[in-house]
């Protein structure tokens, strides 16, 4: 759902001439649009960057269920309840696909979860904002899932095979989530004056956090060049943010809603919209755990981890029992 682009780790990009033969063969394979598979040799930096990005992506899918789950019991109709339930279920599945992809890199799901619960690993900053009204379910689908799709569609071509393949199904399902959100916003924008005010309020609150989902500006993301050279990232943060604004601004006009940016205007010369930058101080503060719902989100995940311990232990015991029975039969 949400592969937020943050600063990568690693050294600066080196030319092929500066690489040893093994590294050169690896880079040439990527340059030729080949896929790297789990048993292939890869640089430590490549592996670590993938674990960080895929792990963060998986955590975002799981934590992303929380603000939406908040509205399952309060959905306005039975149909909306069923749709939201299906969407939350999809997000859980996306997290599982991604955890599986990360495990092929040699890290366990338990370790990634412990790193999340301790604050060592992050999830998308967008989920540290509250969902106050039903219109927020529309804004999450339209804006948040829309930004996620903008990030994720290029990842179907990422260089690591298991990640690229997982993204194919995820992107198909996310496209439905975005349409579901837009439908909610359209119904509310065309509804009563109070419903339209709720839709506008949701847009006002989620607009800039959605722009933050693409990560810091390229000038601040000093190591993105290496991730792009490895084709872990396919586009720069600013490039994707611009595409998102160019796509979303006409949709807001269609809905009769106003994007909360007095500087938003079409620039004929560049063929895109000019727009205001988000508050990057807020972005980094939220990433540090100071968002409106940061404490609540981690408390919920820690509680789920603790209360689910007996289920994990029972499943492991059952697997051990089956394994022992199989060995005894051989």
């Amino acid at each position: 759902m949400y592969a937020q682009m943050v600063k990568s780790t690693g050294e600066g990009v080196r030319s092929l001439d500066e690489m040893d033969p093994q590294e050169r063969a690896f880079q040439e394979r990527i340059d030729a649009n080949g896929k790297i598979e789990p048993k292939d040799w890869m640089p430590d930096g490549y592996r670590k960057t993938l674990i960080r990005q895929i792990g963060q992506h998986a955590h975002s899918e799981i934590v992303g269920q929380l603000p939406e789950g908040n509205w399952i019991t309060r959905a306005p109709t039975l149909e909306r309840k069923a749709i939201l339930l299906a969407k939350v279920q999809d997000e859980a599945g996306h997290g599982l696909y991604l955890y599986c992809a990360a495990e092929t890199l040699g890290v366990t799901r338990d370790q990634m979860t412990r790193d999340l619960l301790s604050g060592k690993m992050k999830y998308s900053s967008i989920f540290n904002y509250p969902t106050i009204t039903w219109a927020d379910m529309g804004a999450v689908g339209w804006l948040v899932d829309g930004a996620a799709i903008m990030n994720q569609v290029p990842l179907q071509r990422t260089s690591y095979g298991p990640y690229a393949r997982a993204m194919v199904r995820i992107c198909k399902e996310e496209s439905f989530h975005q349409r579901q959100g837009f439908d909610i916003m359209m119904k509310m924008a065309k509804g009563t004056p109070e419903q339209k005010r709720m839709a506008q309020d949701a847009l006002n609150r989620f607009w800039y956090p959605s722009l933050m989902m693409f990560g810091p500006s390229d000038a601040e993301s000093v190591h993105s060049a290496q991730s792009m050279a490895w084709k872990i990232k396919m586009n720069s943060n600013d490039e994707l943010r611009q595409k998102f604004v160019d796509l979303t601004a006409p949709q807001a006009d269609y809905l009769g809603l106003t994007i909360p940016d007095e500087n938003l205007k079409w620039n004929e010369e560049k063929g895109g919209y000019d727009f205001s930058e988000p508050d990057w101080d807020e972005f980094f503060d939220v990433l540090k755990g100071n968002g409106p719902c940061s404490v609540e989100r981690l408390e919920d995940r820690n509680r789920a981890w603790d209360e689910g311990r007996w289920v994990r232990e029972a499943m492991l015991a059952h697997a051990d029992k089956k394994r022992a029975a199989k060995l005894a039969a051989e």
Side-chain angles (χ1 to χ4, degrees), residues 93-148:
H94 298 171
L96 296 180
Y97 303 153
L98 293 164
Y99 283 134
C100 287
E103 284 177 320
T104 66
L105 292 158
V107 61
T108 67
R109 193 173 311 188
D110 283 0
Q111 182 59 56
M112 286 186 284
T113 302
R114 285 192 290 268
D115 287 344
L116 169 68
L117 300 181
S118 70
K120 183 178 178 181
M121 290 190 81
K122 305 296 183 181
Y123 55 88
S124 181
S125 61
I126 192 71
F127 301 121
N128 289 315
Y129 292 88
T131 47
I132 301 170
T133 71
W134 173 252
D136 290 3
M137 293 297 93
V140 167
W142 173 38
L143 300 176
V144 177
D145 290 334

Side-chain angles (χ1 to χ4, degrees), residues 177-196:
H177 300 172
Q178 195 270 348
R179 294 174 194 175
Q180 173 256 356
F182 188 80
D183 182 66
I184 291 175
M185 295 298 278
M186 185 163 60
K187 292 291 194 298
M188 299 197 74
K190 306 298 182 185
T192 66
E194 179 58 25
Q195 287 174 322
K196 185 172 183 178

Side-chain angles (χ1 to χ4, degrees), residues 18-75:
E18 296 173 298
M19 299 177 185
D20 63 37
Q22 196 170 34
E23 291 176 305
R24 188 181 305 116
F26 173 84
Q27 187 62 53
E28 287 175 343
R29 183 174 179 181
I30 289 175
D31 292 343
N33 294 322
K35 295 298 183 194
I36 306 301
E37 300 299 337
K39 293 184 179 180
D40 295 336
W41 180 89
M42 62 187 74
D44 287 341
Y46 180 84
R47 185 185 303 275
K48 290 177 181 178
T49 300
L50 278 170
I51 289 173
R52 177 192 55 78
Q53 181 167 316
I54 300 174
Q56 177 191 280
H57 193 168
H59 295 327
S60 298
E61 299 284 355
I62 299 301
V63 176
Q65 298 174 94
L66 298 175
E68 294 179 311
N70 177 46
W71 279 93
I72 289 175
T73 59
R74 296 181 287 161

Side-chain angles (χ1 to χ4, degrees), residues 130-319:
T131 47
I132 301 170
T133 71
W134 173 252
D136 290 3
M137 293 297 93
V140 167
W142 173 38
L143 300 176
V144 177
D145 290 334
I149 292 170
M150 196 66 67
N151 266 331
Q152 292 175 357
V153 166
L155 293 176
Q156 295 175 101
R157 297 180 285 109
T158 193
S159 62
Y160 189 58
Y163 193 19
R165 290 189 287 273
M167 293 312 305
V168 173
R169 177 169 180 174
I170 290 174
C171 286
K172 289 179 179 178
E173 293 177 349
E174 291 294 353
S175 68
F176 284 100
H177 300 172
Q178 195 270 348
R179 294 174 194 175
Q180 173 256 356
F182 188 80
D183 182 66
I184 291 175
M185 295 298 278
M186 185 163 60
K187 292 291 194 298
M188 299 197 74
K190 306 298 182 185
T192 66
E194 179 58 25
Q195 287 174 322
K196 185 172 183 178
R197 282 194 294 271
M198 289 172 64
Q200 182 64 58
D201 176 63
L203 171 57
N204 292 347
R205 287 183 287 105
F206 276 93
W207 175 251
Y208 284 106
S210 296
L211 294 187
M212 294 177 193
M213 287 181 64
F214 299 98
S217 66
D218 293 341
E220 293 293 323
S221 189
V222 295
H223 298 298
S224 287
Q226 180 62 81
S227 289
M228 293 183 70
W230 280 331
K231 295 189 180 179
I232 293 174
K233 283 177 62 171
M234 307 301 293
N235 303 89
S236 74
N237 298 352
D238 288 341
E239 180 184 358
L240 291 173
R241 191 167 15 251
Q242 181 69 58
K243 289 177 66 176
F244 173 73
V245 173
D246 291 345
L247 180 68
T248 308
Q251 295 174 349
D253 288 340
Y254 178 81
L255 292 172
L257 301 177
T258 302
I259 289 176
D261 181 0
E262 60 183 16
N263 296 317
L264 182 72
K265 62 180 180 180
W266 179 257
N267 184 325
E268 190 67 39
E269 184 177 346
K270 77 173 184 181
Y273 283 87
D274 293 331
F275 59 95
S276 300
E277 288 287 314
D279 182 345
W280 292 117
D281 289 338
E282 176 186 331
F283 170 76
F284 287 112
D285 196 41
V286 171
L287 282 185
K288 291 175 183 176
N290 299 319
C293 298
S294 298
V295 173
E296 177 186 341
R297 299 293 185 244
L298 281 181
E299 284 179 347
D300 286 342
R301 289 303 301 136
N302 272 282
R303 181 165 52 252
W305 179 256
D306 292 339
E307 293 178 356
R309 187 181 308 278
W310 71 271
V311 178
R312 297 193 301 275
E313 291 175 348
M315 293 178 69
L316 288 171
H318 179 65

